[in-house]
Structure formats: C-alpha cells, structure tokens
Amino acid sequence: MAAIPSLAGNDFVLRPVPDSFVDELQRVQKIAQTITSILDLDQLIDRIVNDVARSFGCVEAGVFLHDEERHEMVMASMRGCTMHGKGHRLKIGEEGMVGHVAATGRMHYAPDVRTDKYYIGCEHETLSEVAIPLCVGDQLVGVFTASHTELDAFPRPKLRILQALCDHVAIAVHNARRFAVERADRVAMDRGEQEAQAIQPALVPKSSPYIPGFAISGLTVQARAVGGDWYDFIPFADGRWGIVLADVSGKGTAAALLMSATRGMLRSLAEACCSPGEVLTRLNKLLVDDFPAGKFVTMVYAVLDPATRRVVFANAGHLRPLFIDDEGEQFLEVERGLPLGLGCGDYSETQIALPPGSKLIFYSDGITEAEDGREEEYGLSRLAQHAVKPEASAVSIVDEVRLYANGSGVRDDATVVFIGAGN
C-alpha cells in the first residue's frame, strides 16, 4: 500500500492510499498518454470508451458529441449499450443525464439510477451512472458517460480520476475534430486545384500560329500545379494578330482564377478591334472594380501586322521587351503604365518595325529571377546572350533557365513569347 503526505498543523502525516487507487491512477495516465496522440476522431472515441470501460469495469461507457446547429448531443461511440447505437440523439436540457449535463456544464452522478430524475433506463443491470461534460474553456465539446452494475460504484476519489481524465479527453476530441475539418478543407482545396490543373492548359494556345514571314512561339512553365502566368495569340479578321503575355500577382489556385477572368476580359476587348493602349485602359477599369485589394496583373499586349512587318504594343507594369536586330540586342525603354487593377490610368503605345532577322521577346520575371545553387539570378544579360543565337526560341530559353536552376524547376511561373522575323 502506498502513502501520500498530508499537512496537519505543522507536521506532515502520511495517509495510506489503497493499492487499487494507485493502479487506477496509473491506468488513467496510460489512457491519457495514448489518446493525446490519436487524431482520427472515430478511432480516438472508440479507444476512449473501450479503455475506460475495461479499466473501471463499467457495463457501459460512451461519448456524445455536441451538435451546435441542432442543439443536440449525438452518440459518437458506446460500449455495452444494446438499445442505442452510434448516431442516437438527445436534446440538450431535455433528455437524460447527458442532456442535463450538456445544459448545465456540470458533472452529474447518480449513485442509484432508480431514484435519479434525469436517468433514462437502458441496460437492466445498470445501478449507477455518471455523466461528465467535455469542455475546452467555455466551449462544450461533448459528454462522457460511464455506468456500473453496482450501487455507488463511483466514489469521490474515482470521480476525481474520471474528471481529470475527461479534461484530457475533451482536448483530444477537440483537436481531432479540428484536424478532421482541416483535413476535409485540404482535400477540397486539393480537388479544386486538380480541377484547375485540368482546365488551365485549355486556356493556353495548343500550338503556335502560322504567320507567313514570322516564326512565333510561346511557352509557360508553372512553379505549382496551377499558376498566374499566361500568354495568348489572338487572330483578327484583317490578318493581324494580338499577342499577350501577363503575370497575375500571387501563386497557385487564386492566381489561376484571376488569370482566367483577366484572359476572358482581354479577349472580349481585343476582338472589338481596339488598339493595344485602348485595350489595356478599358481592361484596367474593369479590373480596378473587380479585383480583390492588393491583387494586380502586369501585362504586355501587342498587335502584329504581318503586312507592314510592324508591331504595336502597350505595357502595363511589365518587364521591358528584348529586341534584337542587326545593330545588336536592347531592352526597349518604353513607358510602363501601372499594373492592371491597382488604379485608373491610360496606357501609351510603342511601335517598332520587325525587319528580316529581327527578334522580339516578351518574358515574365520567373525567367530572369530563376536562381542557381549559389542564389545568383539568371538575369537579363544571360537572356540576351541566349536570344541572339540563331536557334533561339521560347522552348530553348525555358530549357536553359531550367538547366541554370540545376534542373530543380523554377520557383516562380516562367513564361516566354518569342517573335522571330524571317525573310
């Protein structure tokens, strides 16, 4: 038999503690240690009722969870009950000891269930029952119940042990429910991202356009399953082509949604045969009204006229285009207006000729900001050095950037549109 100290006057007095009490404390401690490591709600609750019933010799043990919307308690697991199963409901404040405890937030003990006004009969051999609230702070999580075949089977020391255990049970159940909700949210988000991943390729050109006298190519590589970069080729009835490259702020599904909306608006405006500056001005007005605060799009929109071998473009906060001709390579110093969606403003236009052998390259910052193992960026100079090569294209630029990043992939969406003027 163990002993615990008790203070009597100025002296310590050792009071004997029954070995059975120490055994119960050790069993409860093991139960508490076990349940705190379980995050699956069903597994957790089943473990609780089975371990408690076995440790305390209960005829019944169960856990009811709080359904806030219906103001009811729902049986989540029960051992030893032949009348009710999982899903059985009790109205809070109206039905049984469980409903009473849920309403008051206080433990209720019936040493003789035959004389208790709240007890609802279940097993014939049950003579005593206790119901203990499971609370985290002021929040009701559920109610734990235990029944026994003996009268007054839960003396005060045993009730204290059960109450202490229920403090652990409440936290474990609360954490498991939160984990289940967060896991369901993650699954829903993953499913949404998978659907977006399946849809997004349809928004990018499936092939390069055939334009006599020009070789045009585009490629986008996303840092995640979906992203906010995109490019497009838009044919006009008069033989001209609209060419766009854009980068939506942010990453992932949110950026992809904004990209899709922006793409639809741009195509509608472009097909109205407006000039690039007018298209961006009108598009910006729409996005200022519709975009969430802090979200924006950088974009360069060009119209190529193969007949005159000229391209007119407007720039909304995007990177400077790279132009290459017989005189060498240069990043065009063009006026860059505000990124779309940040504030109202107009967009100026730049017109350049594309003589035979010249090249015009649009690109996103995922190209120039790609880093190698030393965290050194790919940069503008490397882009220009590669683009002057006769065999350069959108694909070759992206391939070199990937190789530069040690084959580990880009950290940000990377997109290139390459316009090469032939003879």
Side-chain angles (χ1 to χ4, degrees):
M1 179 177 289
I4 59 174
S6 175
L7 189 62
N10 294 324
D11 299 320
F12 283 101
V13 179
L14 293 178
R15 293 181 178 176
V17 178
D19 291 338
S20 59
F21 182 78
V22 175
D23 291 341
E24 287 178 348
L25 282 175
Q26 291 175 339
R27 287 197 296 268
V28 167
Q29 184 181 22
K30 289 181 181 179
I31 295 172
Q33 289 173 342
T34 300
I35 64 176
T36 53
S37 64
I38 300 174
L39 286 175
D40 181 272
L41 185 61
D42 290 336
Q43 179 186 351
L44 169 67
I45 294 175
D46 286 344
R47 185 64 178 267
I48 291 168
V49 297
N50 283 291
D51 283 1
V52 172
R54 188 164 46 247
S55 296
F56 288 84
C58 301
V59 64
E60 289 182 41
V63 172
F64 289 76
L65 296 181
H66 184 201
D67 184 340
E68 292 187 55
E69 290 185 4
R70 297 179 59 172
H71 199 59
E72 293 177 340
M73 303 303 295
V74 185
M75 184 185 291
S77 183
M78 176 65 75
R79 170 173 168 153
C81 180
T82 59
M83 292 183 62
H84 304 295
K86 185 175 180 179
H88 177 62
R89 291 176 172 269
L90 295 171
K91 294 188 180 299
I92 295 177
E94 299 180 23
E95 295 182 286
M97 290 173 58
V98 170
H100 173 66
V101 167
T104 62
R106 295 192 300 271
M107 180 186 73
H108 181 78
Y109 175 44
D112 186 346
V113 297
R114 295 170 298 184
T115 62
D116 189 89
K117 64 179 180 179
Y118 297 110
Y119 177 74
I120 296 177
C122 185
E123 303 306 305
H124 295 299
E125 62 268 32
T126 297
L127 292 178
S128 57
E129 181 169 300
V130 62
I132 304 173
L134 304 176
C135 297
V136 175
D138 295 331
Q139 180 182 354
L140 176 67
V141 176
V143 173
F144 170 81
T145 65
S147 306
H148 207 281
T149 56
E150 298 177 3
L151 288 172
D152 198 12
F154 302 98
R156 185 174 297 275
K158 188 170 292 188
L159 289 177
R160 287 178 177 173
I161 292 175
L162 283 174
Q163 282 183 301
L165 174 62
C166 284
D167 289 340
H168 292 282
V169 170
I171 294 172
V173 171
H174 177 69
N175 290 340
R177 295 184 86 175
R178 286 185 58 185
F179 177 76
V181 171
E182 291 171 1
R183 181 171 55 186
D185 289 343
R186 285 197 300 271
V187 169
M189 289 178 65
D190 290 344
R191 187 180 300 115
E193 187 167 288
Q194 289 171 4
E195 292 174 352
Q197 186 178 3
I199 293 171
Q200 194 167 34
L203 304 180
V204 178
K206 294 179 175 60
S207 61
S208 299
Y210 172 70
I211 305 176
F214 292 89
I216 298 181
S217 59
L219 184 64
T220 184
V221 176
Q222 294 151 355
R224 300 184 182 181
V226 291
D229 273 18
W230 105 94
Y231 69 95
D232 204 357
F233 305 126
I234 307 170
F236 297 132
D238 60 3
R240 297 181 304 154
W241 281 82
I243 301 171
V244 59
L245 188 149
D247 182 358
V248 179
S249 62
K251 296 180 177 66
T253 305
L257 289 172
L258 296 178
M259 179 274 280
S260 178
T262 305
R263 176 186 179 276
M265 295 181 197
L266 174 76
R267 273 190 160 257
S268 296
L269 292 172
E271 290 167 2
C273 296
C274 300
S275 69
E278 291 173 325
V279 168
L280 293 192
T281 299
R282 294 186 183 185
L283 178 59
N284 184 52
K285 289 179 180 179
L286 295 174
L287 297 185
V288 166
D289 293 334
D290 292 346
F291 258 33
K295 294 297 182 180
F296 59 88
V297 183
T298 65
M299 179 184 297
V300 58
Y301 173 58
V303 174
L304 170 65
D305 187 343
T308 63
R309 302 183 71 90
R310 289 185 174 273
V311 62
V312 180
F313 64 87
N315 191 322
H318 203 73
L319 302 172
R320 295 177 297 162
L322 171 59
F323 179 64
I324 301 170
D325 63 6
D326 291 340
E327 298 180 3
E329 66 275 3
Q330 60 175 313
F331 290 91
L332 299 175
E333 293 291 347
V334 297
E335 183 178 343
R336 291 187 288 176
L338 279 174
L340 304 173
L342 288 181
C344 294
D346 297 326
Y347 296 88
S348 62
E349 297 176 351
T350 299
Q351 179 176 262
I352 61 172
L354 295 176
S358 63
K359 303 173 183 178
L360 181 63
I361 297 103
F362 303 133
Y363 53 93
S364 68
D365 57 9
I367 295 292
T368 55
E369 294 178 3
E371 295 181 348
D372 63 6
R374 297 171 297 177
E375 297 186 352
E376 183 178 341
E377 292 186 349
Y378 181 72
L380 296 175
S381 60
R382 289 186 178 87
L383 172 61
Q385 289 169 13
H386 181 86
V388 298
K389 297 177 181 179
E391 69 276 12
S393 67
V395 173
S396 70
I397 292 173
V398 171
D399 284 347
E400 182 175 87
V401 169
R402 281 173 155 171
L403 183 63
Y404 182 80
N406 299 319
S408 59
V410 293
R411 296 189 308 171
D412 196 2
D413 300 337
T415 305
V416 175
V417 169
F418 191 99
I419 304 171
N423 296 322

